Amino acid sequence: ADAAVVPALVIGTGYGGSVTALRLAQAGVDVHMVEMGMAWDTPGADGKIFANTTTPDQRSFWLRTRTKQPLSNFLGFPIDKTIPKYTGILDAEEFAGITVYQGRGVGGGSLVNGGMAVTPKRENFADVLPTVNPDEMYNTYYPRANAELGVGLIRPAWFDTTDAYQYARVGRKHAQRSNFPYVFVPTVYDWNYMEQEAAGTVPKSALAGEILYGNNYGKKSLQKSYISKIRATGRVTISPLHRVVSVVPATGGYKVTIEQLNTTGDPIAVKEVTAAKVFFAAGSVGTSKLLVKLKATGALPNLNGEVGKGWGDNGNVMCGRANHLWDPTGALQSSIPTLGIDNWAAGGAFAEVAPLPTGIETYASFYLSITRTPNRAQFTWNAAAGKVDLNWQTAWKSVSINAAKTIFDKINSKEGTIYRTDLFGVYKIWGDHLTYHPLGGAVLNKATDNYGRLQGYPGLYVTDGSLIPGCTVVNPFVTITALAERNIEKIIATDF
Ligand code: FAD
């Protein structure tokens, strides 16, 4: 074990961790970032860093021997396949009642997500973070987050004409015909690049269906935004394939125990670092699992009873609709969604019109809905099994299904169409087994104070999606980024 002392250690390199590390470094603080996933900076045998969605390989999944694709079936047939076990990019982490998809690597969820960068409507903000002043968020921190992430909108004239968004135009038409408000969803994709992809002048990425297993060109992941600025400060060390397993109080701060992993996920070395301050940014699930374990096993016994509580799935539920033959959705579909149907006020659902980039005409419309749901689960330490459990129940998704139906039952009845039953199994309409949007587990102003300081342990902070109590009304990463900007500004001003 090598010994070292760092002023600030950040666990995880997703949105919360990247914001925190950048602002600390700009304030003159040296930072060590620890990331269990890979660096994702080196091309594979095919010359590309990331695998395509249609041809998953070892790079695609975190320590699995078989893919676990969110859409498990097509025309009723299972499409998962055997792959070598590897520290790949997408983790399909299984808990009792739900599979939680997460990104693994330097950049966290930004490596695998759809890039939809949505700021909640201000009128709904009290449902998202009830103890945060909306003025400071909407005047300062949401604009700051949007600017740093590089958020932008599709050019409307291009949307109206490109083959790649025919599926979204069909989605818009159906929304309009059933009188649902629709919105253009901002994204972190480089829209000029996508137009060049369509023109055939640059290598294709969104228009080649790249999304779930990484995006080789046009998407501005954190690697291209916050993390490139982090590197430019010269004050931050990033250690990929290193996983934090323990944090305990020690002279001068906290002793952090870190396992170095090989690419089949086995620990090959154990290191100890003393850090004056430690920022938990391992994502909602990663941070919750660490804190619950450390409290229960006596490493951090004074963490309060709110740790592990308030976890939600952002009401995620998926479905497909079968269109008539005169309503084709297109063989070419951009992997980056850009249109949403907003029925939040009336029905508690905000539905993204999502692509089905299969490369063939499917006559299908596919949607990811974010819904209002009261259900919250809790992480607990399972001493017998030596792991953290989550008590989510699949049946809780019925609330989300009912909310999504307020949109799609109406559209189906207006269009004379039906739901697809072949995407999630054999005769199964609803994708109710998963979430892409884990939130909560160390809720702001409950497990922490109103700025993410963990109660009972000066110098320990939470900075990621675990602060948000289960729902962001829309897609979460802009809110996670803006909240981290708000919290670290206060912490730098008062704690350093
Ligand atoms: P993360 O981004 O999850 O980062 C946490 C990091 O910590 C990870 O890199 C992880 O490997 C690392 N880590 C965990 N445990 C440890 C440990 N013990 N030691 C070291 N490192 C550790 N959101 C949107 O807003 N728009 C979208 O379009 C969108 N699409 C999505 C599509 C998919 C398929 C998925 C999976 C998610 C999507 N999301 C989307 C959600 C979004 O990506 C997440 O909400 C966001 O990444 C969470 O940010 P975070 O900072 O909380 O943590």
Side-chain angles (χ1 to χ4, degrees), residues 39-58:
W40 299 111
D41 57 3
T42 312
D46 59 359
K48 305 231 164 164
I49 293 178
F50 303 112
N52 195 279
T53 319
T54 52
T55 51
D57 60 27
Q58 64 171 11

Side-chain angles (χ1 to χ4, degrees), residues 163-223:
D163 290 349
Y165 281 109
Q166 186 178 335
Y167 75 95
R169 292 195 299 273
V170 170
R172 176 177 64 177
K173 178 178 75 182
H174 291 167
Q176 285 174 313
R177 283 164 51 92
S178 287
N179 296 318
F180 289 115
Y182 67 89
V183 291
F184 281 102
V185 171
T187 80
V188 292
Y189 206 84
D190 181 336
W191 288 110
N192 291 327
Y193 190 87
M194 203 191 294
E195 291 195 26
Q196 291 174 280
E197 289 180 47
T201 55
V202 294
K204 288 186 173 52
S205 189
L207 300 199
E210 290 177 356
I211 177 166
L212 276 180
Y213 311 132
N215 193 288
N216 284 298
Y217 304 103
K219 195 175 81 180
K220 291 173 275 183
S221 71
L222 287 168
Q223 290 186 335

Side-chain angles (χ1 to χ4, degrees), residues 10-18 34-38 62 70 90-91 100-118 185-186 211-212 219 222 239 242-246 258 281-287 289-290 314 316 318 337 352 368 370 435-439 463-467 472 474-481:
V10 176
I11 309 170
T13 56
Y15 294 91
S18 295
V34 182
E35 168 57 55
M36 69 193 242
M38 305 205 311
W62 177 256
L90 183 63
D91 193 354
V100 184
Y101 284 87
Q102 297 151 88
R104 295 280 172 250
V106 174
S110 81
L111 296 165
V112 300
N113 69 32
M116 285 173 278
V118 193
V185 171
I211 177 166
L212 276 180
K219 195 175 81 180
L222 287 168
S239 300
H242 281 71
R243 174 170 58 200
V244 170
V245 293
S246 179
I258 304 167
S284 163
V285 173
T287 292
K289 285 198 310 189
L290 272 173
N314 211 22
N316 280 189
M318 293 176 176
E352 310 285 6
L368 168 63
I370 294 163
T435 186
Y436 286 172
H437 299 165
L439 293 164
T463 74
D464 58 19
S466 48
L467 292 170
T472 48
V474 292
N475 317 62
F477 75 63
V478 175
T479 296
I480 294 170
T481 304

